[in-house]
């Protein structure tokens, strides 16, 4: 659930950042990371990134050049530069970069299963192990509120819009935060969200 999201961030993203720091310069040299984080994506993401154009954390310089861009500006730039779109985003209206499920919404696993059956099989395999260990593991649901593992998320500058996706699914099932409201993506009938 949401309380464990930071653990997946460390496993999937932080390790890569540490490797980049090891490979590019000594411990006393600063290293810059450029992010595509945008204020419109999610309130939680803004809390975890600081919602600043740039920020220094230790030897890391985080640069967020498009922090104030809306979806229209982002889409216009992508179109003008002829940049490729993420096919997972086109299919699922989310990046799919980690599929950790921390902020998954009901029906999301059905969409993943439809578009990416091997990814869904892996999610099912892991979920079976987690359930066998006696832990809550139902995609698109949160663990009980009295779960002692609930913790606040630390600085996660590369995490895309998970909380916003969950909360917006309550109001707008067709365009979760992180997806584009101006997208014309159609979903297979019978699938959630």
């Amino acid at each position: 659930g949401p309380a464990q999201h930071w653990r997946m961030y460390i496993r999937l993203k932080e390790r890569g950042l540490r490797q980049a720091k090891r490979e590019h310069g000594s411990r006393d040299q600063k290293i810059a990371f450029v992010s595509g984080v945008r204020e419109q994506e999610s309130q939680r993401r803004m809390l975890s990134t600081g919602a600043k154009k740039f920020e220094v954390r230790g030897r890391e310089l985080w640069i967020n050049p498009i922090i104030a861009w809306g979806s229209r500006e982002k889409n216009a730039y992508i179109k003008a530069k002829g940049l490729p779109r993420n096919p997972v985003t086109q299919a699922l209206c989310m990046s799919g970069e980690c599929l950790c499920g921390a902020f998954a919404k009901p029906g999301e696993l059905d969409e993943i299963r439809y578009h990416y059956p091997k990814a869904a099989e892996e999610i099912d395999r892991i979920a079976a192990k987690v359930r066998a260990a006696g832990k809550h593991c139902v995609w698109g649901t949160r663990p009980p509120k009295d779960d002692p593992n609930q913790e606040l998320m630390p600085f996660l500058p590369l995490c895309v819009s998970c909380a916003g996706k969950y909360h917006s699914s309550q109001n707008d099932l067709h365009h979760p935060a992180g997806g584009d409201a101006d997208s014309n993506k159609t979903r297979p009938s019978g699938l959630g969200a």
Side-chain angles (χ1 to χ4, degrees), residues 145-185:
K145 288 190 184 264
D146 60 352
D147 185 336
N149 294 320
Q150 296 293 330
E151 304 168 32
L152 293 176
M153 287 196 307
F155 179 70
L156 307 175
L158 294 180
C159 195
V160 179
S161 182
C162 297
K165 178 177 65 167
Y166 176 83
H167 293 298
S168 70
S169 70
Q170 307 305 308
N171 298 324
D172 183 354
L173 297 179
H174 295 289
H175 302 290
D180 294 319
D182 50 354
S183 169
N184 291 325
K185 172 70 186 130

Side-chain angles (χ1 to χ4, degrees), residues 33 49-57 61-65 67:
F33 293 108
T49 64
K52 299 174 184 169
K53 193 127 182 152
F54 69 91
E55 181 168 356
V56 176
R57 289 192 173 246
L61 170 61
W62 284 91
I63 305 166
N64 304 309
I67 192 97

Side-chain angles (χ1 to χ4, degrees), residues 24 48 118 130:
H24 300 283
S48 68
K118 288 186 189 276
V130 172

Side-chain angles (χ1 to χ4, degrees), residues 88-126:
V88 177
T89 301
Q90 295 294 96
L92 300 177
C93 293
M94 64 180 182
S95 70
E97 62 190 19
C98 77
L99 292 180
C100 72
F103 292 98
K105 63 187 184 307
E108 185 177 286
L109 187 55
D110 293 332
E111 291 187 62
I112 295 167
R113 191 174 315 287
Y114 179 84
H115 292 286
Y116 302 98
K118 288 186 189 276
E121 286 174 18
E122 180 66 4
I123 290 168
D124 292 339
R125 185 188 69 74
I126 294 167

